[in-house]
Amino acid sequence: MESIFIILYIIQFLLIIYISVSNIYILIFAFASLFKYKIKKTINKNFKRFIILIPAYKEDEVILNVCHLSLLQNYPYDKFEILVIADNLNETTLQKLKESGVKVICVDFENSTKTKALQYAANYITDNEYDTAIILDADNIMEKDFLCKINNSITNENTVIQGHRTAKNINTGYAILDAVSEEINNNIFRKGHRTLGLSAALIGSAIAIDIKLFKKYISEIKAIGGFDKELELILLKNNIKIDYFPDALVYDEKIQDKGSFSKQRKRWLSAQFYYFKKFLPDATYHLITNGNINYFNKALQMMFLPRILLLGLSFLAVCINLLLCNPIFLNLWLINLILICISISISIPKEYYNKKFLYALLSIPSAFFTILLLLFKLKNANKSYIHTQHTINENQKK
């Protein structure tokens, strides 16, 4: 019996170390995000030629509206084109897209993925046609000055830029939590990292990338889910730093229900742990041999649990140790709970502190247990494409 307690104590101690490292890492960059960093931008009179790539898998409900609004950019009309990679769209949608003035290429994959769609597009376009590729999701809506802002921020040094993806809908508790989570990520893993001189994280859309880099590195990606993580790791391995431009906004549909939340997070968690195992050894080697801290830092990030799990596990551990009257572990878990609460609190934009957000907090327990259970259901999840269906309503039209 005594040996069992010793084993449980060791497990809890190791868990505390793991959670503490995660919380301290997040807290450092959360604090860094409170400070400004200089964004290299100019008034560029030479308009770059943009190709806006929109993979659309069974997205008939949203793609027409997205393309219509994308054509309304405050940017020379002859300097940008929209290319829809149409996968399983119906004939009526395809016809309307072609009539609207966007380019359409139809694909038919045995197993559809965003990676395959982008690789097909990379083979379709040529280097001398465009300067920069913009990657969007089929539900993304760019603010009207997005291309102008990106044009003024791309330089010979800034060849890959992550735009500021933000919510276009906060109509449910889950949508608000998803929106808040994205803004926390923007502050910690993008603004906070750039403030301290490190590379920003990619999201998966609202990405601007030099066309030659895109064509070169997209072909190396084997991802079924999480193509952005693999692309980011490959870029960092080759010492290509990613900048973040918080003023260049792209509106993104947020998850609205528990089912969609579960599917999305399962895809993210599976990709995260898969790339952690795949890239950490190589990233460690590059850190030691040539000091590539950005590559190592990104691989290390894959080790950390989602913040909602850090928060929930710390809270549960406090409650358990309080009942067991275990003061040493109780104090350690209390410190961790305080650390993650501080990190989250200072990373949430002020405009989200309202009655709707307080209502959304009621969904946290459900979201926590949903993600916790997903940790035990990740086997082979990264071997199949998990699609999140998007919708549109009048409130989402910008």
Side-chain angles (χ1 to χ4, degrees):
M1 191 69 177
E2 184 178 347
S3 60
I4 294 176
F5 279 109
I6 293 174
I7 293 172
L8 291 176
Y9 268 62
I10 292 173
I11 291 173
Q12 185 170 193
F13 182 71
L14 293 174
L15 186 59
I16 287 174
I17 293 175
Y18 170 61
I19 298 292
S20 298
V21 171
S22 303
N23 286 335
I24 292 170
Y25 179 95
I26 291 171
L27 184 64
I28 289 171
F29 291 104
F31 269 116
S33 72
L34 298 177
F35 299 90
K36 292 183 179 181
Y37 76 96
K38 291 184 179 180
I39 304 169
K40 295 180 181 179
K41 56 181 178 178
T42 59
I43 302 302
N44 196 342
K45 295 182 180 180
N46 296 318
F47 294 102
K48 293 187 179 296
R49 298 163 299 169
F50 291 103
I51 179 70
I52 301 169
L53 304 175
I54 310 179
Y57 175 71
K58 296 183 178 180
E59 296 286 8
D60 296 272
E61 188 170 349
V62 298
I63 192 62
L64 290 171
N65 182 60
V66 166
C67 288
H68 167 71
L69 295 173
S70 296
L71 290 168
L72 302 179
Q73 283 288 298
N74 293 328
Y75 198 76
Y77 194 73
D78 62 337
K79 293 295 183 179
F80 75 97
E81 288 187 304
I82 299 168
L83 177 61
V84 176
I85 306 100
D87 189 352
N88 280 273
L89 298 184
N90 63 50
E91 288 299 325
T92 302
T93 302
L94 292 173
Q95 185 61 35
K96 289 182 179 179
L97 283 172
K98 293 173 183 177
E99 291 172 356
S100 71
V102 307
K103 285 188 174 182
V104 180
I105 51 175
C106 296
V107 295
D108 184 18
F109 304 117
E110 184 177 349
N111 296 301
S112 298
T113 68
K114 188 173 181 179
T115 300
K116 290 179 180 179
L118 291 173
Q119 288 172 337
Y120 193 96
N123 291 326
Y124 176 82
I125 58 181
T126 58
D127 293 358
N128 58 1
E129 283 185 280
Y130 310 100
D131 301 305
T132 302
I134 304 290
I135 301 174
L136 297 182
D137 283 340
D139 64 301
N140 287 171
I141 297 175
M142 298 177 289
E143 64 165 338
K144 290 188 177 181
D145 290 330
F146 181 80
L147 292 182
C148 281
K149 291 176 179 178
I150 294 296
N151 186 64
N152 291 335
S153 58
I154 288 183
T155 65
N156 291 333
E157 296 178 359
N158 292 353
T159 53
V160 185
I161 296 175
Q162 175 61 62
H164 182 171
R165 203 173 71 176
T166 191
K168 68 178 178 181
N169 65 299
I170 48 172
N171 52 326
T172 68
Y174 272 98
I176 294 171
L177 289 182
D178 197 17
V180 169
S181 177
E182 180 118 280
E183 293 300 345
I184 293 173
N185 285 335
N186 285 333
N187 280 323
I188 294 175
F189 297 107
R190 294 175 190 99
K191 186 182 178 185
H193 273 65
R194 292 300 297 123
T195 301
L196 294 182
L198 294 173
S199 181
L202 291 181
I203 308 176
S205 66
I207 299 169
I209 180 171
D210 177 85
I211 197 70
K212 292 180 180 178
L213 290 180
F214 170 71
K215 288 175 65 66
K216 179 179 180 180
Y217 292 116
I218 196 69
S219 62
E220 296 183 19
I221 296 177
K222 304 294 190 295
I224 294 176
F227 95 94
D228 51 314
K229 291 181 173 62
E230 187 168 1
L231 176 60
E232 182 180 350
L233 285 159
I234 291 173
L235 290 172
L236 296 178
K237 180 178 180 178
N238 289 277
N239 292 301
I240 299 167
K241 188 178 287 188
I242 300 159
D243 209 344
Y244 172 56
F245 198 173
D247 294 335
L249 299 176
V250 170
Y251 299 94
D252 177 70
E253 182 183 326
K254 298 293 106 184
I255 293 300
Q256 300 183 49
D257 56 74
K258 184 177 179 179
S260 298
F261 178 86
S262 178
K263 287 201 313 183
Q264 183 192 68
R265 264 47 183 188
K266 184 176 183 179
R267 183 176 72 240
W268 289 359
L269 283 171
S270 175
Q272 176 182 328
F273 294 129
Y274 172 77
Y275 291 123
F276 171 69
K277 292 186 291 184
K278 180 178 179 180
F279 282 94
L280 185 65
D282 188 56
T284 304
Y285 170 78
H286 279 266
L287 175 68
I288 296 170
T289 57
N290 56 38
N292 192 336
I293 190 171
N294 279 303
Y295 184 29
F296 177 77
N297 175 62
K298 184 60 189 181
L300 187 66
Q301 281 179 21
M302 303 292 182
M303 178 183 74
F304 302 136
L305 292 173
R307 288 177 305 277
I308 194 168
L309 287 184
L310 296 176
L311 178 65
L313 290 173
S314 297
F315 178 77
L316 285 178
V318 166
C319 294
I320 292 171
N321 282 283
L322 187 61
L323 291 173
L324 295 176
C325 299
N326 192 331
I328 297 177
F329 283 136
L330 174 61
N331 290 332
L332 291 173
W333 282 115
L334 270 173
I335 292 171
N336 272 289
L337 183 59
I338 293 170
L339 290 178
I340 189 63
C341 286
I342 292 174
S343 299
I344 291 173
S345 298
I346 64 178
S347 301
I348 298 175
K350 294 179 181 178
E351 59 266 26
Y352 279 96
Y353 282 103
N354 51 42
K355 291 182 180 179
K356 286 186 176 181
F357 177 60
L358 292 177
Y359 167 75
L361 292 179
L362 297 175
S363 301
I364 285 183
S366 174
F368 165 71
F369 285 109
T370 296
I371 297 179
L372 185 63
L373 291 174
L374 287 177
L375 291 177
F376 304 97
K377 301 178 181 179
L378 296 180
K379 186 177 181 181
N380 297 325
N382 203 53
K383 295 182 179 180
S384 59
Y385 179 56
I386 305 174
H387 176 60
T388 302
Q389 192 67 41
H390 299 106
T391 59
I392 191 170
N393 57 56
E394 292 300 319
N395 293 329
Q396 293 176 2
K397 294 181 180 180
K398 294 283 179 183

